[in-house]
Amino acid sequence: MKLNHKFLALALLPAMVLGACSDNDYTELDKGEAPLALTATKTNVVLDERDHALEAIALEWTTGTNQGTGNRISYTLEIAESGTAFIDSYVIKDHDQQVYKWAPTVDQLNHILCQSIGILPGETVSLDARLTASVEGLDDQVAQVSFTATTYKPVTETLYLIGDATPNGWSADDATAMTRTTNGVFTWTGNLSAGNLKFITNLGSFLPSYNNNGRGGLVYRTDDGEPDEQFAISEAHCYKVDVDLLNLTVNFTMTEGIEPPYSTIYLVGNETDWNFRQMNQDPLDPFLFRIGVFFVKGGEFKFGTSEGSWENMYKAPRENAPYTDREVQFIKGFDPDPKWFLQPGETNLAYKICLDIRPGAERMIMNLYTPYTEMYLVGDATPNGWDLGNATPMTQSTSDPNIFTWSGYLNTGELKFSADRQSDWNGAWFMATGENESPTGVPQRVLFINKSDNACQEQYKDISVGSLDFKWRVTEAGNYTITLNQLLEEVTIARN
């Protein structure tokens, strides 16, 4: 068995329990003549990750002797597999001298045995601990004690939700990450749809997984031939999901969710003549508010939370901040009143603004927007169906490049818009804000997603844009006129 050698100062192990002598007089002339002794509080240690934070064992020792020299005594503790003569041991070196105990937690001792000494998980092994007391000018004093230990394989440090009930569906590459709170314990809060789910431990791999054991608990699955029973979510709602892999339990608790502090946000500034222009709340993430603006006047701007009120506003981090400055501060009163400032050379241009109002993580993302020069109808409701390479083109307005129109016959079926006809279907899409949304004949919000643009993905903290595929459903065939405004992100699909 290959062993790994490692030095580690006890002073650098705050989580390990260290016992110190109450005598702080290092220059005590006589430490006595009692021989050095090393003892263990246990002779057989069975490590269990459920007790990961508890003391595994304590190795304690007497001071030994300095033979009245007045010199300090320092200690070196080594652990090795029995019979190896400490040739390649795990060494703990004490630089503070007055330490007479080493008490690792279950988690720490298991890590040392498996990662540093090379013991296999689940193996019971005999170990020797050797203490060496060193005094300048004297021969080293040595004491030894033996014990056995049984190791374990730690459960995963990552866990993901996967399934048609989860935000990112059955894609193992885009599975929804849970938050690890301690060994084997994970939590997540968010919206679940009616459907099924299970848990995987690694992105990109369906195995190993934790499945339903048939009684509402967890079972560890490592082979495709094993039962693949999943957890069923019967009602779409916001849930708090708590998983304990050490005790193989899972709890789904309906919750009201985490609501944004405000449901309306307004752009206010020189461009709006200091009137309050309402932004659109994102259909996927209620903490995000969006607006597209062609800036002519430029100048100052900030964001209000109530129409006409100059209190409780989201403001720039400093006066005359550039529009590229994403930092945001929320001001309850009137002052201070710093604002972003769009320079004269930055006007007569279109911008898209995304304001994230997550408390403590606010940010303002403002980017120059260049209109797409092409737009296509895609779907079985359109003349050319799902043939992306032969998708039906729309006509760009000569007066406003953000606007595209089309008139013609639509079948019953699905419809969305492609701005680039990217052959792998991972390009820029203008789609419905939810599945099977019905055209109303009046302006409706659209969801713009560029699946190949990291800047689009970074705006969403908990949603994978690559899995989104919402479409309008045309229920009545006939002649229609469609007007799409890509800057305002709205569409009108009206039957003639």
Coordinates of all heavy atoms in Angstrom, one line a residue, residues 18 49 56-57 64 106 118 185 191 230 254 268 278 323 327 350 383 395 401 428 443 446 453 473 488:
L18 N -7.4 20.8 20.8 CA -6.0 20.8 21.4 C -6.0 21.1 22.8 O -6.7 22.1 23.2 CB -5.1 21.8 20.6 CG -5.1 21.6 19.1 CD1 -4.2 22.7 18.5 CD2 -4.5 20.3 18.8
E49 N -19.9 8.8 9.1 CA -20.0 10.2 8.6 C -21.2 10.9 9.3 O -21.2 12.1 9.4 CB -20.2 10.3 7.1 CG -20.0 11.7 6.6 CD -19.9 11.8 5.1 OE1 -20.2 10.8 4.4 OE2 -19.6 12.9 4.6
A56 N -13.4 11.9 17.2 CA -13.2 10.5 16.9 C -12.5 9.7 17.9 O -12.8 8.6 18.3 CB -12.5 10.4 15.5
I57 N -11.4 10.3 18.4 CA -10.5 9.8 19.4 C -9.6 10.9 19.9 O -9.5 11.9 19.3 CB -9.6 8.7 18.7 CG1 -8.8 7.9 19.8 CG2 -8.6 9.3 17.7 CD1 -8.0 6.7 19.2
G64 N 6.5 14.5 29.9 CA 7.9 14.1 29.8 C 8.8 14.9 30.7 O 8.3 15.7 31.6
V106 N -14.4 13.1 13.6 CA -14.6 11.9 12.7 C -14.2 12.2 11.3 O -13.5 11.5 10.6 CB -16.0 11.4 12.8 CG1 -16.4 10.4 11.8 CG2 -16.3 10.8 14.2
G118 N -3.7 6.4 3.0 CA -4.0 5.5 1.9 C -4.9 4.3 2.3 O -5.0 3.3 1.5
V185 N -25.9 16.9 3.7 CA -27.1 17.7 3.9 C -27.2 18.8 2.8 O -26.3 19.6 2.7 CB -27.3 18.2 5.3 CG1 -28.6 19.0 5.4 CG2 -27.3 17.1 6.3
N191 N -39.3 26.9 -7.7 CA -40.5 26.5 -8.2 C -40.4 25.1 -8.9 O -39.4 24.9 -9.7 CB -41.0 27.4 -9.3 CG -41.5 28.8 -8.7 OD1 -42.0 28.8 -7.6 ND2 -41.2 29.9 -9.4
Q230 N -38.9 7.4 -9.1 CA -38.7 8.8 -8.9 C -39.7 9.4 -8.0 O -40.7 8.7 -7.6 CB -38.8 9.5 -10.3 CG -37.7 9.0 -11.3 CD -38.1 9.1 -12.7 OE1 -39.1 9.8 -13.1 NE2 -37.4 8.4 -13.6
M254 N -44.0 22.8 0.8 CA -44.5 24.0 0.1 C -44.2 25.3 0.8 O -44.4 25.3 2.1 CB -46.1 23.8 -0.1 CG -46.5 22.9 -1.2 SD -48.2 23.0 -1.5 CE -48.4 21.8 -2.9
V268 N -36.2 56.4 -14.4 CA -36.5 57.8 -14.2 C -35.2 58.6 -14.6 O -34.1 58.2 -14.1 CB -36.8 58.2 -12.7 CG1 -37.2 59.6 -12.6 CG2 -37.9 57.3 -12.3
Q278 N -42.4 52.7 -16.6 CA -42.4 51.4 -16.0 C -41.6 50.4 -16.8 O -41.7 50.3 -18.1 CB -43.8 50.9 -15.8 CG -43.9 49.6 -15.0 CD -45.3 49.2 -14.7 OE1 -46.2 50.1 -14.7 NE2 -45.6 48.0 -14.3
Y323 N -22.6 54.0 -17.5 CA -23.7 53.0 -17.7 C -23.1 51.6 -17.6 O -23.9 50.7 -17.3 CB -24.4 53.2 -19.0 CG -23.8 52.7 -20.2 CD1 -23.9 51.4 -20.6 CD2 -22.9 53.5 -21.0 CE1 -23.3 50.9 -21.8 CE2 -22.3 53.1 -22.1 CZ -22.5 51.7 -22.5 OH -21.9 51.3 -23.7
E327 N -22.7 48.2 -10.3 CA -23.0 48.3 -8.8 C -24.2 49.1 -8.6 O -24.4 50.1 -9.2 CB -21.8 48.8 -8.1 CG -21.9 48.7 -6.6 CD -20.6 49.3 -5.9 OE1 -19.6 49.4 -6.6 OE2 -20.7 49.5 -4.7
A350 N -29.5 52.6 -29.1 CA -30.5 51.8 -28.4 C -29.8 51.0 -27.3 O -28.6 50.5 -27.5 CB -31.2 50.8 -29.3
P383 N -45.7 28.8 -42.6 CA -45.7 28.2 -44.0 C -44.6 27.1 -44.2 O -44.9 26.1 -44.9 CB -45.4 29.4 -44.9 CG -46.0 30.6 -44.1 CD -45.7 30.3 -42.7
T395 N -40.2 41.0 -42.7 CA -39.7 42.2 -43.4 C -39.3 43.3 -42.3 O -40.1 43.6 -41.5 CB -40.8 42.8 -44.3 OG1 -41.1 41.8 -45.3 CG2 -40.3 44.0 -45.0
P401 N -35.4 49.9 -37.4 CA -34.8 48.6 -37.7 C -35.1 47.6 -36.6 O -34.9 46.4 -36.8 CB -33.3 48.9 -37.7 CG -33.1 50.2 -36.9 CD -34.4 51.0 -37.2
A428 N -30.3 32.8 -31.3 CA -31.1 33.9 -30.7 C -32.5 33.7 -31.0 O -32.9 33.6 -32.2 CB -30.6 35.3 -31.2
P443 N -50.5 43.8 -28.4 CA -49.1 43.6 -28.0 C -49.0 42.7 -26.8 O -49.7 42.8 -25.8 CB -48.7 45.0 -27.7 CG -49.5 45.9 -28.6 CD -50.9 45.2 -28.5
V446 N -42.6 39.3 -25.2 CA -41.8 38.2 -25.7 C -40.6 38.0 -24.8 O -40.2 38.9 -24.1 CB -41.4 38.4 -27.1 CG1 -42.6 38.6 -28.1 CG2 -40.4 39.6 -27.3
D453 N -25.0 33.1 -26.1 CA -24.4 34.3 -25.5 C -24.3 34.2 -24.0 O -25.3 34.1 -23.3 CB -25.3 35.5 -25.9 CG -24.7 36.8 -25.5 OD1 -23.6 36.8 -25.0 OD2 -25.3 37.9 -25.8
R473 N -49.2 29.1 -29.4 CA -50.0 28.1 -30.0 C -51.1 28.7 -30.7 O -52.0 29.4 -30.1 CB -50.5 27.0 -29.0 CG -51.4 26.0 -29.6 CD -51.6 24.8 -28.8 NE -50.4 24.0 -28.6 CZ -49.9 23.1 -29.5 NH1 -50.7 22.9 -30.7 NH2 -48.8 22.4 -29.4
L488 N -38.3 46.6 -27.8 CA -39.3 46.7 -26.7 C -39.7 45.3 -26.2 O -40.4 45.1 -25.2 CB -40.6 47.4 -27.1 CG -40.4 48.9 -27.6 CD1 -41.7 49.5 -27.9 CD2 -39.7 49.7 -26.5

